[in-house]
Amino acid sequence: MGIVSLKKRFNRIYSLVIRFIRGEHSGDALRNVSISILPSLAIYLLGVPASTAIGIGVGSLLTTLTDPPGNRKDKLSSALVCIPTFFVASFLTAYLFPVHWPLVILLGLAGFTFTLYGLFGPRYAAIGNMTLILMSFVIGLAPKHPLAVGLQITTGAAIYYLFSLLQAYIRPYRSLKYAMANGFQGLSQFLLIRAQSYDPSIPLDITYSRVGKIHGQISEQQEQIRSLLFREKKIIGHQWPKSNYWLSQVYGLIDLHELIIALDHDYDAIRKNLADTGSLPVIRRAIKLLALEIDSFSQPRIRFRYAQQLYYNTIKLNELLIELKNIQQQQTGPAGPILRSIITNMESILEVLRRIQVAFYQNQEIQDKIDTAEYQQFINRPWAVWMRSKTNFTLKIRYFVLHYVWPYFLVLAH
């Protein structure tokens, strides 16, 4: 028994490692390291001075942290903002380095300006933060040729975004693909934790704590999926051959999210009322099979490979539902309505999974289409950012005064 348990744990760890290696962030990390090192190394081997190659490499390396996952428009916007910002900041910092008072004023203005980048979203906030780090790095270099430093940093940033944009245009829906996979995986993990709520041996406070931790995570995943998908006009307008596939998947994922999040009951009362019915172990097994089915959509290759096993799991799940219905029909107290509600919710989840599976295998056109006016409600509208700008602007001013102006004032006072 110990060997079997150890083997299952090893397989689970192996699966998590492989999933991580194949994930978007691992691919981005490998790409970023390659772009930061290989072009600089090639430039150095061509006879360019080492200081120039290092400057270009540093520019590329710092730029990698300004490029979170997104679509082509996001990455193009980042490039158009980041490259000029890096050039101006590095050049002015290097130019004013020998003169202390103007440099202090420049750093103060930079801290104020680049902190305000956060008003336009996390992508631009990352650019602002990395620009401040870049300026600190340039000061540490004690540069003697301001224009050369600015051009080196800018060249590194341009090289990075050249490869990043090239990848985005070759694989335009790469981030959406990984976001969808993370969405299915997150819902699967959420269900597995929910299954613990039907296990009397696990204290409910532990279960609630675990649910709270993953709830925010899957909500962020859903928001990212909506943001990536509903800003793609080719998909929404059915101008791409796989538009129906992506729309069917995301609508199904949103429905799953709503159904699974709705599983919020008084589990203490459920445990007490169902304790003597023998249904709690059956419910846990059924939920685990549902979680396995949902997780399979996050790994299309594995789903096709283990299609027969998933088919048997579906048969087993239907048998468990029949067993639960038989138990429910035998109840006369409050256990009957509780079981009926649980069974109904499981059947609703199964129905959504069947719709996703049809689109998954057949790329069938969905029945319910969302028009432009409706899908805009799923994403953050630009006006919402500007409506909050007044409050954010006040907070940024306070942050600027406390973190940039006041420390410099104290230094100069002494």
Side-chain angles (χ1 to χ4, degrees), residues 296-344:
S296 68
F297 287 107
S298 69
Q299 304 180 77
R301 296 179 182 178
I302 294 180
R303 181 174 177 85
F304 283 114
R305 189 183 305 169
Y306 296 101
Q308 186 175 7
Q309 179 63 43
L310 291 171
Y311 174 74
Y312 288 132
N313 289 342
T314 302
I315 294 176
K316 181 62 177 178
L317 182 57
N318 291 328
E319 293 175 353
L320 292 174
L321 287 175
I322 293 174
E323 184 177 352
L324 284 175
K325 290 179 180 179
N326 292 333
I327 296 175
Q328 182 262 326
Q329 292 173 359
Q330 298 172 5
Q331 307 305 314
T332 56
I338 292 175
L339 283 173
R340 187 181 305 113
S341 175
I342 293 173
I343 293 170
T344 300

Side-chain angles (χ1 to χ4, degrees), residues 390-405:
K390 183 178 180 180
T391 302
N392 291 337
F393 186 77
T394 303
L395 294 175
K396 298 296 182 181
I397 290 178
R398 293 176 182 174
Y399 179 88
F400 164 73
V401 172
L402 289 175
H403 290 79
Y404 294 99
V405 177

Side-chain angles (χ1 to χ4, degrees), residues 45-151:
L45 294 177
L46 290 174
V48 176
S51 59
T52 302
I54 291 174
I56 294 174
V58 169
S60 295
L61 184 62
L62 293 178
T63 308
T64 61
L65 300 177
T66 67
D67 186 31
N71 58 21
R72 290 167 294 183
K73 186 177 180 180
D74 293 333
K75 294 182 179 294
L76 182 59
S77 299
S78 294
L80 294 177
V81 173
C82 181
I83 295 175
T85 299
F86 271 26
F87 173 74
V88 172
S90 58
F91 172 74
L92 290 179
T93 303
Y95 184 77
L96 296 177
F97 174 74
V99 190
H100 296 286
W101 271 103
L103 180 62
V104 169
I105 295 173
L106 174 66
L107 292 175
L109 292 175
F112 175 74
T113 303
F114 297 134
T115 302
L116 289 179
Y117 274 33
L119 289 172
F120 303 97
R123 178 175 293 274
Y124 300 99
I127 295 175
N129 292 334
M130 291 311 303
T131 305
L132 294 176
I133 294 174
L134 171 64
M135 296 176 72
S136 301
F137 178 83
V138 171
I139 292 175
L141 287 177
K144 297 180 180 179
H145 304 286
L147 183 59
V149 171
L151 291 176

